[in-house]
Amino acid sequence: MIGPIFGIVGFLCGYYVARQRGGKTLDRLQYGAGFAIAFGLFGTLLGIALARFLGAA
């Protein structure tokens, strides 16, 4: 559940960064997608690590 949440946050961060840099709509969507993939991957790995360390089944 952490991965998709991080993915959504990543998309919003990427979209905001591209908007601040003056990007057009497709630039904003590309930045959003890239950040969403990176943040989502990090969130997934974080979820796996937390499950292993906290002893979740």
Side-chain angles (χ1 to χ4, degrees):
M1 193 65 189
I2 295 174
I5 292 172
F6 271 52
I8 293 169
V9 171
F11 180 82
L12 295 175
C13 287
Y15 192 89
Y16 179 74
V17 166
R19 191 177 77 186
Q20 291 293 79
R21 293 183 181 182
K24 297 191 185 315
T25 303
L26 289 177
D27 297 325
R28 295 176 187 183
L29 292 175
Q30 184 175 4
Y31 265 74
F35 276 56
I37 291 169
F39 277 46
L41 180 60
F42 175 73
T44 300
L45 295 175
L46 181 64
I48 292 170
L50 286 175
R52 289 184 58 93
F53 287 126
L54 297 178

